[in-house]
Amino acid sequence: MRAVPIIALYALEEALRRRIFHVVLVLTALYLALYWLGADTAFEEVQQFGGELPVEEKELTGGTLFGLSMFGTLFLGAVLAAFLTLGAVRGDAERGLLQPLVVRPLGRSALLVGRLLGAAAVCVPYVFAVFTACALITRAAGDWWPDQFLRPGAELAAGVLVIAVLGLLGSVFLSATANGIAIFMVFGAGLVAGLLGQIGEALNSDTLQTVAERTSWALPFEALYQDALYRITSESRGFTGLAIQLGPFGGAQAAGSNLQLWVATYFVAALGLTLAAFSRKDL
Amino acid sequence: MPPALAVHDIAKRYGRIDALKGVDLTVEPGELVGLLGPNGAGKSTLVKIACGLIRASRGRAEICGSPAGSPAARAALGYLAELFRFPGWYSAEEVLRLHQRLAGSHGGQSERRELLDLVGLAEAHRVRVDAMSKGMQQRLGIAQALVGTPQVLLLDEPTSALDPAGRRTVRALLEELRRRNIGVLLNSHLLSEVELVCDRVVILSHGAVVAAGSPAELSRPRGVEIETDRGFKHFADAGRDEVPALVEQLVAEGHRIYGVHVLATSLEEEYLQAVGGDEA
């Protein structure tokens, strides 16, 4: 495991020096600028109602906007995690980047763990930075701050790490392009699960809600996202609380204490499967 | 002292295809062995098994006495893949630094400079891989394979992208490696190059060894040709030992002798015969 930090540093350097990272930074800056514009406009327009609505206007606006920004943050984090892991094994092997590293006395497990740590070292600070920037923008635009801050941010970051480990797993079996498509389809499946849950709640359909719940646990980045959404307005009560819970792209759902254990188990199992598959792979 | 590389009864099966069918091969320390064969003969598969990149279906491969793929075997090994690439944003020096850290080499900058100098890239140590020609990248690949002073070097087509000057540099480098007692397995399509530098040659075809020996052992005598003032005289059944008598006889007959050539088949001819005329 001596080689883990060397590979992690290599992966980190790769992430920071690749053009894709610069593109992500530019897109993020654009996204934050648009979010600021949108938040500013939304709060201004809501103020014009002057308390005519039967809800806490500032709370509803802030919670909804910030919930929307969390989806954007998760999406950008997922894009980054996917690009950092989608070609880690088969893609790099096909390009001839992997073989010179694998023949060194470092062990295949160390190589993959190092790559995952490198991706985490980029994705986790990135998600926290965007999450914090959005919270600060929401406060600047409408004097609103989430009920819980650190836990939802950590859950989004954990969600992105789950996507990263799934990307790494896919990279053992699929070429980079196929894996990229697969990761975004999996991400989309999580999104659909959230929408199904919302529809199920609106229609009071147990079947739809069960399907949504099981899917979100099978793809725990979705369950983490829903729990994070719930936590940013966890102290909202009454009609305002209900309105906020119908968040964008998936309703807020408190996941309970089992979620952390499930995510940890899921992560370790996915990583274990990745290591086992890679250890037997001909390169 | 165990062989630098020992391969015993190695077989590899991909589905219904036998890529290797029980190959035996050894490379002693300081020995340069050329691995020849047509495309699809199993050369790269054999090299990859020795590196631990591919698992054999049967048999065993050892690097300096340690099972191929084990940490000890990898620590003793240098490898240049046929198709390889280094991150484009790294400079030559950064590539070597990364491999020094992975190989646990404490050679530092002096090792990096020595290796770049050895492959003729001393002036290009700060050039990014992206800005390098294919030949420069191949030289860098060879330098990378030498990081950590390996005891055995597996080179898969190391000169395919090099110009004649680059090939000469690599030949000189291989001679130097022999002097340093490093065992080398050279997988190459360039028969003339293999003939020039290798102590032994192993020819693979359809996953099996079809010929092995020194280039001299593999070649067959084709007679003696003597250049005289009346043209060339060819003695098909004669060999080196018969040359003095033949010359004496021709001189006695009043010929003037300008040159004597002991003829033998080239490695290329032997190779083509061994692989049954398969495309090289």
Side-chain angles (χ1 to χ4, degrees):
Chain A
M1 287 290 143
R2 168 190 65 85
V4 170
I6 302 171
I7 294 294
L9 199 65
Y10 165 75
L12 182 63
E13 219 174 339
E14 179 190 35
L16 299 180
R17 287 167 81 166
R18 269 171 76 176
R19 202 166 294 158
I20 186 73
F21 187 72
H22 302 142
V23 172
V24 168
L25 285 184
V26 171
L27 286 176
T28 306
L30 276 172
Y31 164 70
L32 290 175
L34 281 173
Y35 180 67
W36 198 322
L37 183 69
D40 216 33
T41 310
F43 276 112
E44 247 180 53
E45 289 191 0
V46 166
Q47 268 184 349
Q48 290 170 9
F49 290 113
E52 291 168 17
L53 299 174
V55 290
E56 294 285 335
E57 288 155 359
K58 193 170 78 175
E59 208 170 322
L60 177 64
T61 310
T64 305
L65 281 172
F66 192 60
L68 188 63
S69 84
M70 282 167 62
F71 176 75
T73 305
L74 181 67
F75 178 73
L76 287 171
V79 169
L80 196 56
F83 274 107
L84 293 178
T85 55
L86 58 83
V89 176
R90 204 171 136 183
D92 275 6
E94 283 170 358
R95 290 192 296 154
L97 280 162
L98 192 63
Q99 290 84 345
L101 301 177
V102 172
V103 297
R104 293 292 174 197
L106 66 161
R108 292 189 177 196
S109 312
L111 187 88
L112 277 194
V113 172
R115 297 243 19 159
L116 186 62
L117 285 178
V122 177
C123 291
V124 171
Y126 173 82
V127 167
F128 262 108
V130 178
F131 179 77
T132 306
C134 288
L136 290 172
I137 288 170
T138 316
R139 182 155 76 177
D143 193 27
W144 180 90
W145 190 254
D147 293 339
Q148 292 181 48
F149 177 74
L150 282 179
R151 179 80 179 262
E155 286 182 334
L156 282 189
V160 168
L161 282 182
V162 169
I163 292 166
V165 80
L166 290 176
L168 209 57
L169 174 62
S171 80
V172 178
F173 303 100
L174 302 171
S175 67
T177 309
N179 193 27
I181 293 167
I183 294 170
F184 284 110
M185 286 182 78
V186 166
F187 184 75
L191 178 70
V192 169
L195 289 171
L196 280 180
Q198 273 184 299
I199 294 166
E201 205 165 322
L203 299 178
N204 202 20
S205 161
D206 286 343
T207 310
L208 277 182
Q209 286 186 63
T210 306
V211 168
E213 192 183 345
R214 289 188 181 166
T215 310
S216 69
W217 280 72
L219 304 170
F221 55 85
E222 179 61 25
L224 284 162
Y225 167 63
Q226 289 179 8
D227 193 58
L229 269 184
Y230 165 77
R231 286 177 189 282
I232 60 168
T233 55
S234 56
E235 286 162 29
S236 296
R237 297 284 178 264
F239 190 67
T240 305
L242 278 175
I244 289 173
Q245 276 183 28
L246 294 172
F249 307 109
Q253 295 284 345
S257 57
N258 288 338
L259 180 62
Q260 289 170 42
L261 184 64
W262 169 241
V263 169
T265 308
Y266 188 96
F267 187 87
V268 170
L271 183 59
L273 194 60
T274 309
L275 297 178
F278 185 43
S279 71
R280 301 178 62 82
K281 188 168 180 64
D282 285 344
L283 295 170
Chain B
M1 194 174 190
L5 168 67
V7 168
H8 305 288
D9 193 28
I10 282 286
K12 178 66 184 177
R13 178 176 267 265
Y14 293 107
R16 296 165 71 179
I17 297 168
D18 284 316
L20 292 172
K21 302 171 186 167
V23 171
D24 291 288
L25 185 153
T26 54
V27 179
E28 296 297 332
E31 189 182 28
L32 256 153
V33 176
L35 188 59
L36 301 175
N39 293 330
K43 306 185 300 292
S44 290
T45 301
L46 181 63
V47 172
K48 284 180 173 184
I49 288 173
C51 288
L53 289 173
I54 289 180
R55 296 183 322 143
S57 307
R58 190 186 74 218
R60 66 178 201 280
E62 290 174 351
I63 302 284
C64 300
S66 303
S70 66
R74 288 170 193 225
L77 179 81
Y79 171 58
L80 177 68
E82 182 183 7
L83 295 172
F84 71 94
R85 197 187 283 184
F86 298 122
W89 52 87
Y90 268 179
S91 68
E93 183 140 338
E94 284 173 321
V95 168
L96 296 189
R97 189 181 297 136
L98 170 68
H99 282 273
Q100 280 181 317
R101 294 167 71 192
L102 292 173
S105 165
H106 301 291
Q109 195 177 35
S110 62
E111 184 189 32
R112 296 196 292 274
R113 288 288 156 90
E114 187 199 341
L115 290 176
L116 289 173
D117 194 38
L118 210 57
V119 296
L121 286 179
E123 301 299 315
H125 65 104
R126 285 198 181 143
V127 175
R128 282 161 56 111
V129 171
D130 264 349
M132 288 183 177
S133 67
K134 192 83 178 64
M136 287 170 81
Q137 289 186 32
Q138 197 145 33
R139 287 167 188 243
L140 180 59
I142 295 170
Q144 167 275 138
L146 288 167
V147 163
T149 323
Q151 291 164 267
V152 58
L153 204 57
L154 306 178
L155 302 175
D156 205 346
E157 299 288 353
T159 55
S160 57
L162 296 182
D163 56 20
R167 285 180 190 160
R168 179 182 278 189
T169 306
V170 172
R171 277 204 300 274
L173 175 69
L174 292 173
E175 301 284 358
E176 173 63 18
L177 295 176
R178 180 171 20 220
R179 203 181 56 74
R180 294 184 187 183
N181 210 33
I182 295 172
V184 179
L185 182 66
L186 174 67
N187 178 9
S188 175
H189 273 121
L190 297 169
L191 303 179
S192 55
E193 198 167 86
V194 170
E195 196 167 16
L196 275 173
V197 295
C198 289
D199 303 308
R200 275 195 308 122
V201 173
V202 174
I203 301 176
L204 280 185
S205 181
H206 300 295
V209 175
V210 290
S214 69
E217 284 168 354
L218 285 178
S219 65
R220 283 172 293 113
R222 270 182 22 199
V224 174
E225 191 178 66
I226 301 178
E227 188 183 356
T228 72
D229 56 343
R230 294 175 214 168
F232 286 93
K233 301 271 181 193
H234 189 241
F235 301 91
D237 296 328
R240 189 172 177 273
D241 293 341
E242 281 79 41
V243 168
L246 288 171
V247 170
E248 202 173 323
Q249 183 192 328
L250 288 170
V251 170
E253 290 170 3
H255 292 271
R256 293 169 71 87
I257 307 296
Y258 291 106
V260 177
H261 309 282
V262 179
L263 301 176
T265 53
S266 66
L267 183 60
E268 184 175 314
E269 287 165 319
E270 289 306 317
Y271 166 84
L272 287 172
Q273 180 156 351
V275 301
D278 283 2
E279 191 189 338

